[in-house]
Amino acid sequence: MTTGYANKFKRCDGMSRRAVLQLGQLAGLGIGLSRWNAVSAAAVGDARVSSSTVASKTSALPSETAQIPRPLARSCILIWLDGGPSHLETFDLKPEAAKEVRGPLSAISTRISGVAISECLPELALRMDEIAIIRSMTSPLGEHNLGTHYLLTGYKPTPVLQYPPFHAVASFKRQTDGMPLLPPSIAIPDHRVGGGRFTGSGFLPQEFGPFSIGADPSRPDFRVKDLESPAGLSLDRIDRRRMFAEQLARWDENQGRSNSSSQDSALNRAVAMVTSAKARAAFDLEEETPATRRRYGMKTIGQSCLLARRLIERGVPFVTVNDRGWDTHDNLYTRLKEGYTGAKTGVGLIPSLDLAVSSLIDDLRDRALLDETLIVVMGEFGRTPKINTSGGRDHWPRVFSVMLAGGGVRGGQVIGSSDSTGESPSERPVTPSDLICTIYNMLGFNPSDELRTDTGRPVRLAGDEAKVVRELLS
């Protein structure tokens, strides 16, 4: 495609004439503009993939990561507690501290002697032998977007480059020549994390970012809208429109204007999802028994974790469950425990998390999937050591907690500790870089591997200073 031709037919939103024509076909398939931006990224990033990012360089692991146990995780479920969960009300309570530090919740014992967690996590307490908690996570970044970027990429943000989150890197490195029916990375309900300005792909092509289902699975009318074809549009008509779009692509290619192979692949994948009963069935929670759905909890996080289990069962390797509302600057007790004032049974954020994650662990274990599915529960930072005047806690990245289970994690342990007020790490500080380095190792990737940006800059999967948290590995 020549520069003049591109400029002549480019719209102000960056779309070419051909892109508009193909978008018309995709819209007829029930795929809107937001999904077009994702599926067409294969074409936008075509040159980048062939000449830069695809060429990933492998170097020997540094000595500190030698002799690390063989990874077990084939898949990963990230449960993202968006807003920053309070470590002092979840996994690192301080019952001996002053009232303004320890807060309104009590600590309870777990199956592991000497390890206590929140009274609102009784089900996870019973499963502590399968869980590892890092209580000494530490970061200097107390702003939502910056903290999110650091926690999901292992790199501190910089204005010159947006690093890809670990699930995008994993999707990129595990890509195959085949065309899987479902996307390799799916976000429930969406991937608007950390304030919404964090992309799901960084400098990698957008196709490796998560597919956001764009709907709340706890709602009675839950449907993945991008899998719903418009009323009256038969499968034959969809197939004819796909063929017409392919003919347009071939015509442009014959004119020497573009390479359409990536677009064809993206278009075929989109059509396959829309027309496949099997793909739609993966998202159908009505196939689950009412008892199973109640066990997970009927709040958004419960039904999202249930859907995540269904997707993992069907071969989706990476699922993000995005649970909002953890930015508790005020009314902490009600929001975290009760859910609403005067609730006889707590339905707040923490009890809902307890039901969802404990049921997820049980179901994966019962299906022989827990050993190969890594579960990571975290947010962008913790909360301040003291309750504020509004009955909440503010941002606090200096120390916070992360929970992990499955996927080769050695359960029944606490790694590191915070000081007596939950203000700073006192033992074994762990950085987000260390955590991401460890996750890559668990997923079978060499943290020293390099990706290349579209300018040819080499970027390691994990930073030079990152070290594997060996205690986590079974």
Side-chain angles (χ1 to χ4, degrees):
M1 182 181 290
T2 65
T3 302
Y5 184 88
N7 290 337
K8 181 177 180 181
F9 292 99
K10 188 77 71 176
R11 299 196 326 186
C12 64
D13 58 5
M15 296 181 67
S16 66
R17 177 189 63 83
R18 177 174 172 235
V20 174
L21 287 173
Q22 275 204 335
L23 176 58
Q25 315 315 313
L26 287 167
L29 300 177
I31 302 174
L33 180 60
S34 62
R35 291 306 304 140
W36 165 255
N37 289 334
V39 298
S40 68
V44 174
D46 193 47
R48 295 168 62 188
V49 171
S50 61
S51 65
S52 57
T53 48
V54 147
S56 105
K57 175 183 175 184
T58 304
S59 58
L61 277 170
S63 59
E64 68 268 14
T65 59
Q67 304 301 317
I68 290 173
R70 182 178 63 84
L72 296 177
R74 297 177 181 272
S75 54
C76 178
I77 298 174
L78 168 65
I79 300 174
W80 182 256
L81 308 182
D82 194 60
S86 171
H87 54 298
L88 294 161
E89 270 71 42
T90 52
F91 299 113
D92 191 13
L93 282 77
K94 303 295 180 182
E96 304 302 323
K99 182 178 180 179
E100 65 271 19
V101 172
R102 69 175 184 265
L105 300 184
S106 300
I108 59 171
S109 300
T110 69
R111 290 189 70 170
I112 303 303
S113 177
V115 176
I117 58 177
S118 172
E119 64 176 275
C120 294
L121 297 170
E123 296 298 328
L124 289 180
L126 294 174
R127 294 158 179 81
M128 188 64 211
D129 58 325
E130 298 180 288
I131 292 169
I133 298 170
I134 304 175
R135 284 181 174 167
S136 54
M137 291 297 304
T138 184
S139 162
L141 304 176
E143 189 274 334
H144 292 294
N145 281 284
L146 300 180
T148 296
H149 189 285
Y150 195 15
L151 261 293
L152 293 182
T153 69
Y155 282 93
K156 295 176 184 176
T158 169
V160 299
L161 182 67
Q162 185 164 102
Y163 295 94
F166 74 88
H167 47 75
V169 172
S171 295
F172 172 77
K173 290 182 69 66
R174 286 188 179 174
Q175 61 183 307
T176 63
D177 294 332
M179 188 179 71
L181 185 61
L182 294 169
S185 180
I186 296 178
I188 312 168
D190 53 48
H191 197 257
R192 294 198 299 271
V193 299
R197 295 196 298 274
F198 180 70
T199 72
S201 56
F203 62 71
L204 293 175
Q206 290 181 22
E207 64 186 289
F208 298 107
F211 169 83
S212 292
I213 67 172
D216 183 346
S218 70
R219 291 180 58 87
D221 59 351
F222 168 64
R223 293 290 184 276
V224 181
K225 63 178 181 179
D226 286 332
L227 297 185
E228 297 292 320
S229 57
L233 191 60
S234 66
L235 296 183
D236 287 341
R237 290 181 64 191
I238 289 177
D239 194 53
R240 287 199 300 271
R241 293 184 182 202
R242 177 185 60 80
M243 293 174 62
F244 177 66
E246 289 177 347
Q247 290 169 358
L248 282 177
R250 297 283 90 77
W251 186 84
D252 265 359
E253 186 175 357
N254 290 337
Q255 301 301 311
R257 289 167 176 158
S258 71
N259 183 340
S260 62
S261 60
S262 308
Q263 280 183 321
D264 290 347
S265 176
L267 179 61
N268 286 332
R269 181 179 292 112
V271 172
M273 284 185 64
V274 171
T275 58
S276 169
K278 188 175 181 181
R280 292 194 298 274
F283 298 91
D284 187 5
L285 292 178
E286 296 296 325
E287 291 186 353
E288 301 290 334
T289 66
T292 297
R293 298 192 68 176
R294 287 193 300 270
R295 180 162 51 86
Y296 274 83
M298 297 307 293
K299 303 292 283 291
T300 300
I301 188 173
Q303 299 304 294
S304 295
C305 284
L306 175 55
L307 180 54
R309 187 263 286 165
R310 291 179 59 85
L311 295 172
I312 291 293
E313 283 183 295
R314 287 157 177 78
V316 176
F318 303 100
V319 180
T320 299
V321 172
N322 182 21
D323 190 40
R324 295 197 184 91
W326 292 85
D327 195 18
T328 49
H329 290 280
D330 58 76
N331 203 17
L332 175 147
Y333 179 80
T334 300
R335 294 170 66 185
L336 292 185
K337 181 179 180 178
E338 292 183 331
Y340 59 90
T341 303
K344 294 182 179 179
T345 302
V347 293
L349 291 166
I350 305 178
S352 299
L353 175 71
D354 186 49
L355 289 177
V357 179
S358 60
S359 296
L360 178 62
I361 290 173
D362 289 350
D363 273 3
L364 291 175
R365 186 201 320 108
D366 293 345
R367 289 164 170 76
L369 292 171
L370 184 60
D371 285 344
E372 60 185 51
T373 305
L374 176 63
I375 301 172
V376 183
V377 181
M378 65 179 180
E380 55 266 48
F381 39 65
R383 312 303 293 189
T384 49
K386 291 185 178 181
I387 299 286
N388 62 28
T389 57
S390 298
R393 298 186 192 265
D394 302 313
H395 302 180
W396 194 257
R398 191 182 301 172
V399 71
F400 54 102
S401 300
V402 167
M403 192 209 95
L404 302 98
V409 170
R410 185 159 62 89
Q413 63 168 328
V414 171
I415 297 170
S417 62
S418 64
D419 59 22
S420 61
T421 60
E423 182 177 1
S424 301
S426 62
E427 293 181 359
R428 185 64 169 96
V430 177
T431 69
S433 297
D434 297 333
L435 178 64
I436 294 301
C437 180
T438 307
I439 290 174
Y440 281 137
N441 183 269
M442 289 177 165
L443 294 173
F445 304 127
N446 187 332
S448 297
D449 279 3
E450 291 179 350
L451 301 173
R452 294 189 180 272
T453 68
D454 53 359
T455 62
R457 171 183 171 182
V459 178
R460 281 176 43 125
L461 268 61
D464 292 331
E465 76 289 352
K467 295 179 174 61
V468 171
V469 183
R470 289 172 173 267
E471 302 95 310
L472 276 176
L473 308 181
S474 60

XYZ file of all heavy atoms in Angstrom, residues 35-97:
464
model
N -14.847 -4.756 19.076
C -14.243 -6.033 18.750
C -13.447 -5.942 17.455
O -12.457 -6.635 17.272
C -15.316 -7.126 18.613
C -15.968 -7.471 19.918
C -14.971 -7.859 20.994
N -14.119 -8.941 20.582
C -12.833 -9.006 20.853
N -12.250 -8.056 21.525
N -12.119 -10.034 20.447
N -13.891 -5.093 16.511
C -13.118 -4.926 15.282
C -11.727 -4.419 15.596
O -10.735 -4.869 15.022
C -13.824 -3.949 14.346
C -12.916 -3.463 13.241
C -12.323 -2.258 13.135
C -12.499 -4.216 12.105
N -11.559 -2.203 12.008
C -11.639 -3.383 11.353
C -12.754 -5.506 11.658
C -11.053 -3.807 10.171
C -12.169 -5.913 10.475
C -11.340 -5.081 9.752
N -11.631 -3.464 16.517
C -10.315 -2.945 16.884
C -9.410 -4.055 17.381
O -8.199 -4.038 17.150
C -10.444 -1.875 17.973
C -11.047 -0.608 17.427
O -10.943 -0.322 16.243
N -11.708 0.158 18.291
N -9.995 -5.037 18.052
C -9.175 -6.126 18.566
C -8.815 -7.119 17.478
O -7.662 -7.479 17.305
C -9.914 -6.832 19.703
N -9.822 -7.585 16.712
C -9.515 -8.621 15.731
C -8.694 -8.092 14.573
O -7.891 -8.806 13.992
C -10.803 -9.307 15.193
C -11.539 -9.997 16.298
C -11.708 -8.330 14.478
N -8.839 -6.816 14.228
C -8.057 -6.276 13.127
C -6.638 -5.967 13.520
O -5.803 -5.663 12.685
C -8.711 -4.998 12.587
O -8.634 -3.962 13.534
N -6.332 -6.073 14.809
C -4.974 -5.789 15.258
C -3.965 -6.736 14.642
O -2.784 -6.419 14.531
C -4.898 -5.874 16.780
N -4.422 -7.911 14.226
C -3.502 -8.835 13.578
C -2.923 -8.212 12.317
O -1.754 -8.399 12.003
C -4.238 -10.127 13.228
N -3.752 -7.440 11.601
C -3.254 -6.789 10.402
C -2.426 -5.564 10.738
O -1.380 -5.315 10.139
C -4.428 -6.384 9.508
N -2.899 -4.785 11.727
C -2.153 -3.594 12.119
C -0.762 -3.959 12.590
O 0.226 -3.282 12.295
C -2.906 -2.845 13.245
C -2.080 -1.698 13.774
C -4.243 -2.351 12.733
N -0.674 -5.071 13.332
C 0.610 -5.476 13.877
C 1.334 -6.496 13.023
O 2.288 -7.116 13.474
N 0.903 -6.679 11.752
C 1.468 -7.722 10.930
C 2.973 -7.581 10.773
O 3.731 -8.511 10.978
C 0.783 -7.702 9.557
C 1.099 -8.944 8.752
O 1.012 -10.043 9.312
O 1.441 -8.789 7.570
N 3.407 -6.373 10.418
C 4.839 -6.166 10.234
C 5.571 -6.303 11.557
O 6.674 -6.844 11.622
C 5.095 -4.781 9.643
N 4.931 -5.819 12.634
C 5.574 -5.907 13.948
C 5.771 -7.361 14.341
O 6.812 -7.748 14.850
C 4.722 -5.210 14.999
C 4.586 -3.728 14.814
C 3.498 -3.166 15.703
N 3.805 -3.378 17.114
C 2.942 -3.123 18.076
N 1.739 -2.680 17.779
N 3.276 -3.297 19.325
N 4.748 -8.187 14.096
C 4.842 -9.569 14.506
C 5.901 -10.311 13.719
O 6.661 -11.100 14.248
C 3.472 -10.272 14.352
C 3.608 -11.767 14.569
C 2.483 -9.687 15.330
N 5.989 -10.034 12.398
C 6.922 -10.780 11.580
C 8.359 -10.323 11.769
O 9.279 -11.108 11.654
C 6.532 -10.648 10.100
O 6.581 -9.285 9.703
N 8.567 -9.044 12.061
C 9.933 -8.535 12.076
C 10.443 -8.168 13.451
O 11.619 -7.918 13.614
C 10.011 -7.274 11.197
O 9.229 -6.243 11.747
N 9.559 -8.120 14.454
C 10.044 -7.654 15.749
C 9.616 -8.551 16.893
O 10.385 -9.365 17.365
C 9.566 -6.217 15.993
O 8.170 -6.138 15.924
N 8.333 -8.435 17.313
C 7.938 -9.098 18.547
C 7.999 -10.608 18.455
O 8.231 -11.278 19.449
C 6.515 -8.678 18.932
O 5.680 -8.795 17.796
C 6.492 -7.268 19.438
N 7.752 -11.182 17.273
C 7.753 -12.623 17.181
C 9.130 -13.185 17.463
O 9.277 -14.246 18.019
C 7.268 -13.067 15.790
C 7.949 -14.329 15.349
C 5.783 -13.269 15.804
N 10.157 -12.465 17.076
C 11.504 -12.952 17.311
C 11.853 -12.757 18.766
O 12.324 -11.726 19.164
C 12.486 -12.205 16.418
N 11.583 -13.761 19.573
C 11.876 -13.655 20.983
C 13.196 -14.343 21.249
O 13.422 -15.458 20.813
C 10.727 -14.225 21.790
O 10.972 -15.413 22.319
N 14.087 -13.625 21.897
C 15.439 -14.114 22.132
C 15.504 -14.795 23.489
O 15.030 -14.273 24.478
C 16.418 -12.934 22.076
C 17.857 -13.312 22.429
C 18.720 -12.064 22.412
C 20.129 -12.396 22.882
N 20.966 -11.173 22.957
N 16.121 -15.971 23.511
C 16.271 -16.713 24.751
C 17.720 -16.702 25.174
O 18.598 -16.999 24.391
C 15.801 -18.168 24.570
O 14.464 -18.176 24.110
C 15.902 -18.938 25.872
N 17.949 -16.350 26.419
C 19.283 -16.417 26.981
C 19.248 -17.303 28.203
O 18.191 -17.634 28.721
C 19.780 -15.015 27.358
O 18.902 -14.413 28.260
N 20.397 -17.703 28.676
C 20.452 -18.599 29.829
C 19.911 -17.905 31.061
O 20.079 -16.703 31.250
C 21.896 -19.033 30.067
N 19.243 -18.677 31.904
C 18.757 -18.117 33.160
C 19.935 -17.705 34.025
O 20.956 -18.390 34.063
C 17.933 -19.157 33.915
C 16.467 -19.301 33.523
C 15.895 -20.534 34.194
C 15.686 -18.089 33.909
N 19.820 -16.590 34.752
C 20.874 -16.228 35.685
C 20.984 -17.268 36.791
O 20.083 -18.058 37.028
C 20.413 -14.869 36.233
C 18.940 -14.843 35.997
C 18.714 -15.630 34.745
N 22.087 -17.241 37.503
C 22.367 -18.270 38.491
C 21.304 -18.353 39.575
O 21.009 -19.432 40.091
C 23.732 -18.018 39.136
O 23.755 -16.732 39.754
N 20.665 -17.205 39.923
C 19.698 -17.245 41.017
C 18.423 -17.987 40.640
O 17.605 -18.308 41.492
C 19.356 -15.827 41.486
C 18.574 -14.987 40.480
C 19.478 -14.157 39.597
O 20.682 -14.422 39.571
O 18.959 -13.223 38.943
N 18.191 -18.240 39.343
C 16.991 -18.966 38.933
C 17.314 -20.373 38.441
O 16.459 -21.041 37.897
C 16.245 -18.189 37.832
O 17.135 -18.008 36.718
C 15.771 -16.854 38.329
N 18.564 -20.821 38.627
C 18.930 -22.163 38.199
C 18.304 -23.199 39.128
O 17.989 -22.933 40.279
C 20.444 -22.305 38.190
N 18.125 -24.416 38.595
C 17.604 -25.542 39.372
C 16.228 -25.262 39.970
O 15.915 -25.689 41.069
C 18.587 -25.913 40.499
C 19.994 -26.229 40.017
C 20.014 -27.390 39.038
O 19.338 -28.374 39.260
N 20.764 -27.268 37.959
N 15.423 -24.501 39.252
C 14.057 -24.236 39.704
C 13.166 -25.403 39.282
O 13.313 -25.924 38.180
C 13.549 -22.902 39.120
C 14.305 -21.755 39.785
C 12.064 -22.728 39.315
C 14.029 -20.421 39.179
N 12.224 -25.847 40.125
C 11.388 -26.993 39.773
C 10.637 -26.788 38.458
O 10.328 -25.661 38.069
C 10.407 -27.077 40.960
C 11.124 -26.419 42.089
C 11.954 -25.343 41.468
N 10.348 -27.908 37.802
C 9.630 -27.866 36.532
C 8.253 -27.238 36.730
O 7.532 -27.595 37.651
C 9.473 -29.292 35.998
C 8.769 -29.381 34.651
C 8.707 -30.824 34.200
N 7.931 -31.644 35.110
C 6.604 -31.756 35.068
N 5.918 -31.078 34.156
N 5.964 -32.511 35.929
N 7.870 -26.310 35.862
C 6.564 -25.657 36.023
C 5.420 -26.636 35.768
O 5.546 -27.571 34.981
C 6.599 -24.545 34.964
C 7.585 -25.018 33.941
C 8.621 -25.783 34.701
N 4.305 -26.392 36.446
C 3.130 -27.230 36.309
C 1.965 -26.512 35.640
O 1.066 -27.155 35.121
C 2.684 -27.734 37.690
C 3.653 -28.644 38.450
C 3.087 -28.972 39.814
C 3.928 -29.914 37.670
N 1.934 -25.198 35.681
C 0.741 -24.450 35.264
C 0.608 -24.396 33.745
O 1.502 -23.912 33.049
C 0.785 -23.045 35.841
N -0.505 -24.901 33.251
C -0.848 -24.771 31.841
C -1.808 -23.612 31.615
O -1.992 -23.168 30.493
C -1.490 -26.065 31.327
C -0.572 -27.278 31.374
C -1.324 -28.527 30.912
N -0.475 -29.699 30.959
C 0.314 -30.087 29.962
N 0.347 -29.384 28.842
N 1.047 -31.171 30.086
N -2.447 -23.158 32.698
C -3.426 -22.072 32.579
C -3.356 -21.220 33.835
O -2.719 -21.582 34.823
C -4.838 -22.637 32.382
O -5.149 -23.562 33.404
N -4.027 -20.086 33.790
C -3.980 -19.142 34.908
C -5.292 -18.388 35.008
O -5.848 -17.944 33.989
C -2.814 -18.164 34.712
S -2.688 -16.901 36.004
N -5.784 -18.250 36.236
C -6.939 -17.389 36.518
C -6.453 -16.272 37.428
O -6.020 -16.516 38.558
C -8.081 -18.167 37.195
C -8.588 -19.288 36.282
C -9.236 -17.217 37.544
C -9.617 -20.190 36.943
N -6.493 -15.056 36.920
C -6.151 -13.875 37.715
C -7.438 -13.282 38.265
O -8.326 -12.889 37.496
C -5.428 -12.845 36.851
C -5.257 -11.447 37.464
C -4.359 -11.503 38.695
C -4.721 -10.459 36.432
N -7.563 -13.234 39.585
C -8.708 -12.582 40.223
C -8.214 -11.231 40.700
O -7.496 -11.117 41.693
C -9.256 -13.442 41.374
C -9.695 -14.803 40.830
C -10.419 -12.738 42.069
C -10.133 -15.797 41.890
N -8.585 -10.204 39.944
C -8.065 -8.858 40.158
C -9.040 -8.074 41.031
O -10.184 -7.830 40.647
C -7.856 -8.150 38.821
C -7.290 -6.782 38.961
C -7.947 -5.595 38.834
C -5.918 -6.447 39.266
N -7.087 -4.540 39.041
C -5.836 -5.042 39.312
C -4.779 -7.206 39.517
C -4.638 -4.383 39.597
C -3.591 -6.544 39.793
C -3.530 -5.152 39.829
N -8.584 -7.671 42.217
C -9.414 -6.917 43.160
C -9.163 -5.441 42.909
O -8.307 -4.812 43.525
C -9.078 -7.329 44.595
C -9.109 -8.846 44.849
C -8.817 -9.156 46.317
C -10.436 -9.458 44.417
N -9.920 -4.898 41.984
C -9.644 -3.575 41.438
C -9.923 -2.473 42.455
O -11.010 -2.403 43.034
C -10.499 -3.349 40.186
C -10.032 -2.160 39.374
O -8.872 -2.177 38.932
O -10.827 -1.215 39.193
N -8.944 -1.630 42.676
C -9.064 -0.519 43.605
C -8.084 -0.608 44.749
O -7.775 0.390 45.396
N -7.578 -1.810 45.019
C -6.598 -1.985 46.089
C -7.225 -2.558 47.341
O -7.776 -1.826 48.173
N -7.170 -3.901 47.536
C -7.783 -4.512 48.722
C -6.971 -4.241 49.976
O -5.741 -4.161 49.931
C -7.781 -6.005 48.384
C -6.600 -6.167 47.465
C -6.550 -4.899 46.647
N -7.635 -4.115 51.091
C -6.960 -3.894 52.368
C -6.355 -5.196 52.873
O -7.069 -6.154 53.168
C -7.945 -3.350 53.408
O -7.342 -3.337 54.689
N -5.032 -5.228 52.984
C -4.370 -6.411 53.548
C -4.738 -6.593 55.013
O -4.789 -7.710 55.523
C -2.849 -6.297 53.390
C -2.237 -5.040 53.940
N -2.552 -3.772 53.470
C -1.322 -4.842 54.938
C -1.849 -2.869 54.137
N -1.099 -3.483 55.031
N -5.050 -5.482 55.702
C -5.352 -5.525 57.134
C -6.750 -6.058 57.432
O -7.092 -6.309 58.592
C -5.185 -4.127 57.735
C -3.742 -3.611 57.709
C -3.687 -2.112 57.862
C -2.926 -4.298 58.794
N -7.576 -6.221 56.404
C -8.901 -6.816 56.573
C -9.029 -8.155 55.850
O -10.100 -8.768 55.885
C -9.990 -5.865 56.057
C -10.542 -4.898 57.091
C -9.562 -3.803 57.478
O -8.886 -3.248 56.573
O -9.467 -3.498 58.688
N -7.965 -8.619 55.177
C -8.056 -9.865 54.427
C -7.031 -10.893 54.901
O -7.356 -11.817 55.635
C -7.885 -9.599 52.916
O -6.686 -8.832 52.695
C -9.085 -8.848 52.354
N -5.756 -10.715 54.509
C -4.750 -11.752 54.724
C -3.661 -11.385 55.732
O -2.769 -12.191 55.988
C -4.090 -12.106 53.387
C -5.052 -12.646 52.362
C -5.346 -11.924 51.222
C -5.665 -13.870 52.568
C -6.232 -12.424 50.274
C -6.551 -14.382 51.627
C -6.840 -13.657 50.471
N -3.710 -10.203 56.318
C -2.626 -9.781 57.221
C -3.182 -8.926 58.358
O -2.827 -7.758 58.512
C -1.572 -9.006 56.420
C -0.289 -8.770 57.213
O -0.116 -9.399 58.276
O 0.536 -7.964 56.757
N -4.071 -9.510 59.147
C -4.690 -8.772 60.238
C -3.703 -8.559 61.393
O -2.756 -9.337 61.566
C -5.936 -9.490 60.736
C -7.185 -9.308 59.847
C -7.115 -10.166 58.601
C -8.457 -9.586 60.617
N -3.928 -7.521 62.160
C -3.065 -7.175 63.284
C -3.898 -7.104 64.571
O -4.199 -6.019 65.095
C -2.379 -5.825 63.023
C -1.570 -5.768 61.740
C -0.376 -6.710 61.771
C 0.419 -6.641 60.472
N 1.553 -7.590 60.484
N -4.300 -8.257 65.113
C -5.207 -8.256 66.279
C -4.604 -7.652 67.530
O -5.348 -7.252 68.437
C -5.519 -9.752 66.472
C -4.393 -10.469 65.802
C -3.985 -9.609 64.657
N -3.297 -7.567 67.615
C -2.659 -7.013 68.815
C -2.391 -5.520 68.697
O -1.933 -4.899 69.665
C -1.328 -7.739 69.068
C -1.440 -9.246 69.183
C -2.377 -9.660 70.301
O -2.389 -8.976 71.353
O -3.096 -10.664 70.136
N -2.658 -4.934 67.537
C -2.362 -3.514 67.328
C -3.452 -2.637 67.935
O -4.514 -3.116 68.359
C -2.229 -3.225 65.837
